[in-house]
Amino acid sequence: MAINVMVVAGARPNFMKIAPLMRALAQHPDLFEVCLVHTGQHYDVDMSEVFFRDLEIPTPDINLNVGSDTQAAQTARIMVEFERVILSEQPQLVIVVGDVNSTLACSLVASKLGIKVAHIEAGLRSFDRRMPEEINRVVTDALSDFLFVSEPSGLQHLQHAADCPGEIFLVGNLMIDTLLSHLPRIHQSEILKALGLTRDRYAVVTLHRPSNVDTREALEEIRSLLADVAYHCPLIYPVHPRARAQMRSYGLLEAFEQMRGLTMIEPLGYIDFIKLVANARFVMTDSGGLQEETTVLKIPCLTMRENTERPITITQGTNALIGWDRAKLLEAVETILAGQWKAGGIPSYWDGQAAFRVVQILRERLLASSLPRYEVGHGTLREVELS
């Protein structure tokens, strides 16, 4: 008898993680009956539908359509709607990914109803409780029965956490599964031609976190820093809808749009965006996932935050924490443009096989609990070259 599994996704960072998971689960239709729930946390075409098309994710079986709101209101609405779904569908396992509000809300509902929870990308910590994502990570990990970890720091955090009783497995990075599996299509993207860009002659900017765009002071600081960097290298900025709305509300949108050396564009789908990143000289970002993708693509990454929950991208990858230190930023840009940035390497188990490891573990634990503890699987690490 197949196990009823409910996979939850709500926002753009989730979609790259559920895509390989859905494919891996689909290979065992006799073992898993899968229901995909989209909470609608990211609900517009640019932030949701285009990613489902690009990543060939099945149409969600259920869409909660919660939309945007404050942290509390959005989380509460997801919980109310998801509880109705749980009571109707009665899944045996709920799988959540990442650290968005949907992750927290759905794991909390499932746990209170006595349903097993699996958390993919467990154990990551910035140790900055000012970040809503950090609260979501900590609570979700404490509620989860299966904790699937993408890098060794996650193992260490969970093994020393008294409030995380679930089983812990280092499986690798599902986001990298998606990246590696879509390389042929990424190669074929025509986005550089469409934007009139030449490889290595531009940098990519993605800045959208509330701490960076929710005040006039923060946005003015970003504008000033980008102007300094744009003097040395042209910048392409796919602007998150929320960041654009904040720029407009503070009367700064026109100032950004008229900045010399900065080109602001609408958000891109996955294929075009990765093509843009893979051919950039460097990336400036506050995104967590992009720190991982640039590490695999061997693109220098300047993280505009004071901390990161993905330290392996610094110790082994191409990432560096810059914060808002102007001198440090410009020094890093000069180092990159001089061709002296660290080369980095690909972390272990970031090999395109993480989703299959997750499914193997679930098979063992849910269908044959007497089997010995799962050992991390094997895969061939690949250097990624993309032009």
Side-chain angles (χ1 to χ4, degrees), residues 37-58:
V37 176
H38 187 350
T39 67
Q41 182 176 331
H42 278 172
Y43 55 91
D44 64 14
V45 172
D46 289 334
M47 300 304 290
S48 180
E49 290 182 25
V50 68
F51 268 59
F52 274 72
R53 291 198 302 267
D54 274 1
L55 301 178
E56 300 172 320
I57 301 171

Side-chain angles (χ1 to χ4, degrees), residues 148 167-172 349 353-365 371-379:
F148 295 111
E167 290 190 276
I168 306 165
F169 307 92
L170 176 62
V171 294
Y349 306 112
Q353 302 300 313
F356 295 104
R357 295 188 187 106
V358 169
V359 171
Q360 180 180 335
I361 293 168
L362 292 177
R363 289 176 62 193
E364 292 179 354
R365 286 302 186 263
L371 289 178
R373 186 174 180 84
Y374 174 87
E375 298 295 333
V376 173
H378 299 285

Side-chain angles (χ1 to χ4, degrees), residues 37-160:
V37 176
H38 187 350
T39 67
Q41 182 176 331
H42 278 172
Y43 55 91
D44 64 14
V45 172
D46 289 334
M47 300 304 290
S48 180
E49 290 182 25
V50 68
F51 268 59
F52 274 72
R53 291 198 302 267
D54 274 1
L55 301 178
E56 300 172 320
I57 301 171
T59 301
D61 299 287
I62 299 171
N63 196 321
L64 305 184
N65 295 308
V66 298
S68 62
D69 211 321
T70 64
Q71 293 276 340
Q74 186 180 69
T75 302
R77 188 174 296 119
I78 294 170
M79 290 180 66
V80 169
E81 297 301 322
F82 190 63
E83 183 179 55
R84 291 177 181 148
V85 170
I86 288 281
L87 294 175
S88 171
E89 302 296 322
Q90 298 188 355
Q92 295 161 275
L93 174 71
V94 170
I95 302 178
V96 296
V97 298
D99 55 19
V100 300
N101 289 340
S102 298
T103 307
L104 168 66
C106 293
S107 61
L108 185 56
V109 169
S111 182
K112 283 193 169 188
L113 292 174
I115 297 166
K116 289 186 179 296
V117 176
H119 184 203
I120 290 174
E121 204 179 72
L124 298 182
R125 297 289 186 271
S126 68
F127 298 101
D128 183 354
R129 292 294 181 94
R130 295 171 299 176
M131 297 176 62
E133 297 88 348
E134 183 75 357
I135 305 299
N136 293 346
R137 295 179 199 117
V138 171
V139 176
T140 300
D141 285 344
L143 298 173
S144 296
D145 300 275
F146 305 103
L147 298 126
F148 295 111
V149 180
S150 60
E151 64 166 88
S153 71
L155 281 180
Q156 297 166 8
H157 299 149
L158 293 173
Q159 288 168 348
H160 291 91

Side-chain angles (χ1 to χ4, degrees), residues 2-294:
I3 297 171
N4 188 338
V5 176
M6 188 165 283
V7 178
V8 176
R12 182 170 175 161
N14 295 165
F15 305 147
M16 289 85 84
K17 298 159 194 168
I18 67 164
L21 178 64
M22 294 296 291
R23 287 195 297 272
L25 288 168
Q27 293 186 10
H28 304 280
D30 56 326
L31 299 179
F32 300 106
E33 181 181 339
V34 182
C35 175
L36 177 58
V37 176
H38 187 350
T39 67
Q41 182 176 331
H42 278 172
Y43 55 91
D44 64 14
V45 172
D46 289 334
M47 300 304 290
S48 180
E49 290 182 25
V50 68
F51 268 59
F52 274 72
R53 291 198 302 267
D54 274 1
L55 301 178
E56 300 172 320
I57 301 171
T59 301
D61 299 287
I62 299 171
N63 196 321
L64 305 184
N65 295 308
V66 298
S68 62
D69 211 321
T70 64
Q71 293 276 340
Q74 186 180 69
T75 302
R77 188 174 296 119
I78 294 170
M79 290 180 66
V80 169
E81 297 301 322
F82 190 63
E83 183 179 55
R84 291 177 181 148
V85 170
I86 288 281
L87 294 175
S88 171
E89 302 296 322
Q90 298 188 355
Q92 295 161 275
L93 174 71
V94 170
I95 302 178
V96 296
V97 298
D99 55 19
V100 300
N101 289 340
S102 298
T103 307
L104 168 66
C106 293
S107 61
L108 185 56
V109 169
S111 182
K112 283 193 169 188
L113 292 174
I115 297 166
K116 289 186 179 296
V117 176
H119 184 203
I120 290 174
E121 204 179 72
L124 298 182
R125 297 289 186 271
S126 68
F127 298 101
D128 183 354
R129 292 294 181 94
R130 295 171 299 176
M131 297 176 62
E133 297 88 348
E134 183 75 357
I135 305 299
N136 293 346
R137 295 179 199 117
V138 171
V139 176
T140 300
D141 285 344
L143 298 173
S144 296
D145 300 275
F146 305 103
L147 298 126
F148 295 111
V149 180
S150 60
E151 64 166 88
S153 71
L155 281 180
Q156 297 166 8
H157 299 149
L158 293 173
Q159 288 168 348
H160 291 91
D163 57 351
C164 293
E167 290 190 276
I168 306 165
F169 307 92
L170 176 62
V171 294
N173 194 321
L174 271 73
M175 182 174 284
I176 302 308
D177 286 13
T178 293
L179 174 60
L180 296 179
S181 68
H182 285 83
L183 284 178
R185 293 180 61 208
I186 294 167
H187 276 290
Q188 296 171 4
S189 168
E190 297 289 336
I191 190 63
L192 298 191
K193 183 184 295 185
L195 296 176
L197 299 173
T198 302
R199 184 180 184 181
D200 288 338
R201 299 293 183 87
Y202 64 92
V204 173
V205 177
T206 72
L207 297 169
H208 70 278
R209 288 189 179 274
S211 59
N212 288 339
V213 302
D214 274 10
T215 67
R216 170 182 284 275
E217 293 74 20
L219 283 170
E220 288 179 336
E221 179 68 8
I222 287 175
R223 185 167 64 91
S224 176
L225 289 174
L226 292 182
D228 285 350
V229 175
Y231 179 80
H232 299 278
C233 181
L235 302 176
I236 307 298
Y237 187 178
V239 186
H240 190 288
R242 190 170 183 281
R244 187 182 292 275
Q246 293 295 83
M247 293 174 187
R248 182 178 290 111
S249 69
Y250 290 116
L252 295 172
L253 181 58
E254 186 175 355
F256 272 93
E257 291 176 336
Q258 294 180 352
M259 185 189 303
R260 183 169 182 170
L262 176 69
T263 301
M264 298 174 65
I265 62 175
E266 294 298 317
L268 298 172
Y270 179 79
I271 299 298
D272 287 340
F273 180 70
I274 295 298
K275 177 76 171 189
L276 189 70
V277 168
N279 288 275
R281 193 65 180 269
F282 60 92
V283 169
M284 296 173 60
T285 189
D286 57 11
S287 162
L290 195 47
Q291 297 171 47
E292 298 171 330
E293 290 161 335
T294 50

